[in-house]
Amino acid sequence: VQLQASGGGLVQAGGSLRLSCAASGRTISYTNVGWFRQAPGKEREFVAARGWTSSRTYYADSVEGRFTISRDNAKNMVYLQMNSLKPEDTAVYYCAADRYSSYDMTSSKAWIYWGQGTLVTVSS
């Protein structure tokens, strides 16, 4: 599976952005999908995940209530709607797909396929 993330950019605090992740190579309809982010000088951290049964979603405490992960299986796409953005949300955002069940989903080690990352910068 190849993943291509897009939609990052510069936004003022309080604004919104929608990230997209296009999957190719095979369908991701029956795989878990997720988003991680990595700020400068920090480790990659979990943001959100969605199970292959699309009703189950998981969020980091820092983004709960502001971010929404969604998927369109017909288009082989995953999205991250980000609202009420804060300067501390500034990071490179990565989409991920398919994971090892032996690892906790919040660990980057759990995920098999990764996109190349898209930069989100939130100005104060």
Side-chain angles (χ1 to χ4, degrees), residues 46-50 57-61 63-65 67-70 80:
F46 171 78
V47 174
R50 194 172 187 109
T57 56
Y58 309 86
Y59 297 96
D61 290 343
V63 307
E64 179 82 54
F67 290 11
T68 303
I69 184 172
S70 61
L80 185 68

Side-chain angles (χ1 to χ4, degrees), residues 4-60:
Q4 180 78 31
S6 62
L10 175 63
V11 63
Q12 288 188 332
S16 298
L17 277 177
R18 187 196 195 204
L19 304 184
S20 299
C21 178
S24 60
R26 67 167 174 85
T27 179
I28 57 170
S29 299
Y30 303 106
T31 62
N32 299 297
V33 292
W35 289 92
F36 282 71
R37 67 186 181 187
Q38 188 166 16
K42 295 187 177 182
E43 293 190 354
R44 194 170 297 191
E45 66 173 359
F46 171 78
V47 174
R50 194 172 187 109
W52 68 271
T53 53
S54 60
S55 61
R56 301 189 68 178
T57 56
Y58 309 86
Y59 297 96

